[in-house]
Amino acid sequence: DALVQYYAAAVQQQVAAVPGLSAAASQTAGPGTPSTGWLTNRLVEREKARIEKNFAEADRLRQLLRQNGVEVDDRERTWSCRDGRKGARPNHNDPPEPE
């Protein structure tokens, strides 16, 4: 039991060391929820719109994400999904992910 807890803690530390990745974010999406690739791509698009000061587009993308169960925290630079996935908010120049 102690050995299992030790290895679980070690894996959590390794996952935490990777920027933008959480144990929940590495899981696949459940039925009826968007894929992590779809989420990441919309978050990148939103960041691009914010940098370009296209706030109408950024707001539209935030609303689209909310409709799909995703909340963005701009102060903490994180996102979370109602199915438990979460991670660091991607940057505007991150490469697109397969959806």
Side-chain angles (χ1 to χ4, degrees):
D1 188 54
L3 191 57
V4 171
Q5 289 177 345
Y6 171 79
Y7 281 110
V11 168
Q12 285 178 340
Q13 286 178 340
Q14 288 175 343
V15 169
V18 178
L21 182 68
S22 69
S26 65
Q27 298 171 356
T28 58
T33 60
S35 69
T36 302
W38 183 90
L39 296 174
T40 301
N41 292 340
R42 300 303 80 76
L43 290 163
V44 168
E45 290 171 11
R46 182 173 175 271
E47 281 305 297
K48 286 179 184 177
R50 286 171 37 125
I51 287 174
E52 295 168 356
K53 298 188 187 292
N54 185 350
F55 299 116
E57 178 66 6
D59 290 345
R60 184 191 72 76
L61 288 164
R62 179 188 279 274
Q63 185 61 31
L64 178 64
L65 288 161
R66 279 188 179 148
Q67 289 171 353
N68 284 280
V70 180
E71 287 297 323
V72 181
D73 186 336
D74 289 320
R75 287 182 191 249
E76 297 293 323
R77 297 183 49 86
T78 61
W79 62 270
S80 60
C81 190
R82 67 177 156 229
D83 65 6
R85 291 176 291 160
K86 60 185 175 179
R89 187 185 71 196
N91 294 316
H92 70 285
N93 58 353
D94 285 353
E97 292 191 11
E99 295 184 34

